[in-house]
Amino acid sequence: MDLFKAEKVGETPSDPEKKCRCGADLELIRTIFDANSRTIIHMFECACGERIWDE
């Protein structure tokens, strides 16, 4: 059994409303689903290197 198999199931467009502290737009780079807590986490990255996530 493949317990660590990752499979892309869809795409989520970046949210133009999300802004970095520097004022630039954030790009959605990763979406993670935590099956234990049933939480979806979105990770965003800015051109300045800042990474922000929300649940």
Side-chain angles (χ1 to χ4, degrees):
M1 179 178 2
D2 287 330
L3 295 177
F4 300 104
K5 182 178 179 184
E7 183 176 324
K8 184 175 182 178
V9 294
E11 289 187 27
T12 305
S14 292
D15 185 355
E17 299 289 317
K18 294 277 186 188
K19 298 284 185 188
C20 180
R21 290 185 291 177
C22 72
D25 293 335
L26 291 169
E27 179 182 351
L28 179 67
I29 59 168
R30 198 166 276 121
T31 301
I32 303 165
F33 176 70
D34 181 359
N36 293 330
S37 66
R38 298 185 183 269
T39 305
I40 297 174
I41 301 167
H42 301 283
M43 182 181 282
F44 301 90
E45 185 174 49
C46 178
C48 73
E50 182 75 21
R51 287 191 175 176
I52 300 170
W53 58 88
D54 63 6
E55 297 179 21

